[in-house]
Amino acid sequence: MLELILLSVAKVMGIVMVFVMAVAALLTWIERKQSALIQNRVGPNRASVAGLRLGGIFHLAADAVKMLTKEDFDPETDNPLMFRLAPFLAVVPVMLLFAVIPFGPGEHFLISNVGVGALFILAVSSLGVYGSTIGAWASNNNFAMLGSIRTTAQMISYEVSMGLNLVGIFMIYESVNLQDIVIEQGSLIWGWLPAWGIVLQPLAFILFMTASIAETKRAPFDLPEGESEIVGYFVEFSSMRFGLLALSEFIGIVAVGATAAVLFLGGWQIPWVQGTGGWLTVAQVGAMILKTLFVVWLQMAIRWTLPRFRYDQLMRLGWQYLLPLSLLNIFITGVVLMFVEQGRI
Amino acid sequence: MEQVIFWILAIGTVASSVAVIVPPMGRNPVHGALSLVVAFFFLAGLYVMLVAHLVAVLQVLIYAGAIVVLFLFVIMLLNIQSEDLGHPRPTISKLIGVIAVGFVSIVLIGFILKDKGMAEPPVGLPSDSTFGTVKTVGNLLYTSYIVPFELTSILLLVAVIGAVIMAKRRL
């Protein structure tokens, strides 16, 4: 019993604290640096340690110190408890997501092998909305309220097509367990093509990424934050409370990266390499981390490339394009699977 | 160990369900809705203890993740202040409600004391390790229980059409 608890704690620390938090913290700097490079600016470059600037990477530490030492401002509200609870409600669900994501073969790189892992991800990510909604409502601020209403409508709309996009994956790999899905993706079609989700479900991958970016409230779907018009649902939050809300967004990006890597990019599988054990396992964990970082980079690049939608366009995209396309994808997958089972393909 | 977890979950479910309507939480609709979410979580925990993992996850996904969010959405848009609700007064419908609840609980307690349990287990339930998995539940739903499943679908379809008609009176 004690051994099990210690092992679980070690796994949680290793995955969430070391990998996820490190990447999320780095993202706060990468986001500014990348936007600067894309827009032909210099970007953060003031913070330095002993004269070394390293492209402004020390802004990480500077930001953390600033967040932690600034005044905790409490707005005039009837619900101080809810206001203080909101950052935690935002950050806990995105961290919980990593409980079921397999970072490598076997039991050691996976916190908990839940049978319904993929559904667990959908369920937990759907809880993220409470943080922003409750926070905005408890702030007693009309701008925050507008942001919260936008968040709720957006997240409910895009959750539907996000879930439906995964149905095709479940149908092909005949499992909702993430480790099983990754193992199934190790096989080859016609002897040379890796059976990755992105190969078998290209439409679902595009739709999933679109819906996920909308779920994490990132540009081009950043209407709930809309700095230029309503500031956002976190307008009343200051210091580390704001820090937690911002951090939850960055952890969300890593979570989307890891989920997309597991479901569509073969997880820890290295293409055309079978088996596990020894150094190969290390390489496979490295492959999973690389794939996660690739999807994180993709989201960052999309953020600084596409202009944002108008609110009515956002809703129309969700319900009139993404949802029917997801249903079409399920239908086509079903038809193809039927032909495959009958041996016609 | 299992007993301890069960009692924590059971007491949590009842307490948070009561908190939905009873002051101080119940006085504020938003707090009430949030206690409902907490109740759903405890209930999901109970499902996990019954090895019904799929039901537990769907409980969180659909009720906590979608339906109560919509509740909150509506409550926040209405922006009800506690003055608008007025003081709670005893009415006849509340009296009827109390009598009905009392009656149901007496019947339930009677059944529990007699320990009748379920007369016979439902058909087709596997007793091995496949119990409660997505595959088993799906197979049962689409074979043994296809008629109730389809009837539920029709019910939901009717509800959707009704919602569209309510929202768009002038199509």
Side-chain angles (χ1 to χ4, degrees):
Chain A
M1 191 70 195
L2 185 71
E3 201 178 335
L4 185 73
I5 292 171
L6 284 178
L7 190 66
S8 305
V9 170
K11 283 195 280 193
V12 171
M13 294 305 274
I15 291 174
V16 177
M17 289 302 157
V18 177
F19 175 64
V20 176
M21 293 304 275
V23 175
L26 260 181
L27 283 179
T28 59
W29 167 70
I30 291 173
E31 170 136 285
R32 278 174 288 168
K33 197 71 187 172
Q34 191 189 18
S35 74
L37 292 176
I38 288 178
Q39 296 167 344
N40 208 7
R41 291 185 283 114
V42 180
N45 64 343
R46 291 292 102 186
S48 62
V49 171
L52 275 174
R53 284 195 177 144
L54 298 177
I57 196 163
F58 298 114
H59 276 268
L60 282 185
D63 282 345
V65 171
K66 189 180 82 176
M67 295 274 187
L68 286 169
T69 52
K70 273 203 170 177
E71 182 197 353
D72 263 340
F73 176 74
D74 282 312
E76 275 183 32
T77 166
D78 296 340
N79 297 281
L81 177 71
M82 291 293 161
F83 183 77
R84 284 171 195 181
L85 202 62
F88 300 101
L89 286 179
V91 85
V92 167
V94 283
M95 281 183 149
L96 262 182
L97 285 175
F98 292 94
V100 294
I101 288 176
F103 277 87
E107 293 288 315
H108 293 296
F109 303 98
L110 168 63
I111 295 173
S112 172
N113 198 0
V114 179
V116 288
L119 295 176
F120 179 88
I121 287 195
L122 289 175
V124 172
S125 66
S126 70
L127 297 173
V129 66
Y130 282 109
S132 41
T133 312
I134 293 301
W137 176 75
S139 323
N140 191 22
N141 179 310
N142 285 340
F143 285 114
M145 202 57 215
L146 283 173
S148 130
I149 287 167
R150 288 183 179 189
T151 314
T152 318
Q154 177 173 331
M155 289 186 84
I156 293 267
S157 306
Y158 281 83
E159 242 165 52
V160 180
S161 42
M162 190 169 155
L164 286 175
N165 283 321
L166 300 187
V167 173
I169 293 282
F170 302 156
M171 286 162 79
I172 289 175
Y173 301 116
E174 294 182 358
S175 178
V176 288
N177 180 310
L178 293 175
Q179 189 71 288
D180 287 353
I181 289 175
V182 174
I183 291 169
E184 285 290 318
Q185 291 184 74
S187 57
L188 298 171
I189 315 165
W190 304 314
W192 57 275
L193 190 63
W196 287 7
I198 193 172
V199 175
L200 297 169
Q201 292 274 307
L203 181 61
F205 178 70
I206 296 168
L207 297 178
F208 176 80
M209 283 310 296
T210 314
S212 304
I213 293 171
E215 282 281 291
T216 46
K217 307 187 278 289
R218 303 265 305 161
F221 301 103
D222 65 341
L223 277 300
E225 291 171 26
E227 286 95 341
S228 50
E229 35 186 292
I230 57 165
V231 187
Y233 57 89
F234 45 59
V235 62
E236 291 285 351
F237 287 87
S238 58
S239 77
M240 202 53 207
R241 289 182 196 150
F242 169 77
L244 269 184
L245 285 174
L247 196 64
S248 77
E249 187 180 312
F250 285 111
I251 299 173
I253 296 168
V254 187
V256 168
T259 316
V262 164
L263 290 167
F264 291 98
L265 300 177
W268 43 263
Q269 300 275 6
I270 303 171
W272 305 292
V273 178
Q274 307 288 337
T276 54
W279 287 105
L280 189 55
T281 309
V282 179
Q284 280 166 334
V285 174
M288 172 65 192
I289 290 172
L290 271 183
K291 285 170 185 174
T292 308
L293 292 179
F294 168 73
V295 184
V296 168
W297 168 81
L298 188 66
Q299 294 176 75
M300 289 278 170
I302 288 171
R303 177 171 186 348
W304 295 111
T305 311
L306 296 176
R308 54 202 267 244
F309 288 95
R310 228 171 41 223
Y311 195 68
D312 58 322
Q313 293 172 327
L314 173 100
M315 282 295 142
R316 192 169 302 141
L317 180 76
W319 290 106
Q320 293 189 354
Y321 296 98
L322 285 193
L323 188 65
L325 278 174
S326 323
L327 291 171
L328 183 73
N329 185 52
I330 294 173
F331 178 73
I332 294 173
T333 310
V335 170
V336 172
L337 278 180
M338 190 183 74
F339 281 131
V340 168
E341 270 182 25
Q342 290 175 350
R344 292 198 210 169
I345 296 178
Chain B
M1 187 71 185
E2 228 177 64
Q3 284 281 319
V4 176
I5 296 173
F6 170 78
W7 281 111
I8 293 172
L9 291 173
I11 293 169
T13 312
V14 175
S16 50
S17 310
V18 169
V20 175
I21 46 167
V22 171
M25 292 289 271
R27 282 296 289 166
N28 188 324
V30 172
H31 292 175
L34 287 178
S35 345
L36 196 60
V37 178
V38 177
F40 286 143
F41 267 96
F42 280 117
L43 211 55
L46 284 174
Y47 287 134
V48 170
M49 290 198 70
L50 292 168
V51 209
H53 294 129
L54 178 64
V55 183
V57 169
L58 291 183
Q59 173 88 19
V60 175
L61 176 62
I62 293 168
Y63 285 99
I67 290 181
V68 182
V69 176
L70 285 178
F71 281 12
L72 272 180
F73 190 66
V74 173
I75 293 170
M76 286 177 179
L77 280 180
L78 290 176
N79 195 19
I80 301 168
Q81 305 295 327
S82 47
E83 305 92 67
D84 300 338
L85 294 171
H87 281 288
R89 284 191 285 274
T91 54
I92 293 180
S93 52
K94 278 182 188 165
L95 183 71
I96 295 171
V98 169
I99 293 170
V101 167
F103 179 71
V104 171
S105 24
I106 287 169
V107 171
L108 277 178
I109 290 169
F111 268 98
I112 291 165
L113 290 180
K114 272 171 123 181
D115 199 26
K116 271 197 167 174
M118 219 177 284
E120 53 189 80
V123 280
L125 278 187
S127 52
D128 51 19
S129 62
T130 61
F131 178 83
T133 58
V134 181
K135 215 166 238 175
T136 323
V137 174
N139 266 332
L140 278 175
L141 264 187
Y142 290 105
T143 53
S144 314
Y145 295 98
I146 183 74
V147 177
F149 177 79
E150 291 297 342
L151 285 177
T152 317
S153 315
I154 292 169
L155 182 70
L156 288 175
L157 185 65
V158 170
V160 168
I161 294 170
V164 171
I165 288 174
M166 295 279 277
K168 296 208 160 201
R169 286 190 180 268
R170 283 172 292 133
L171 274 174

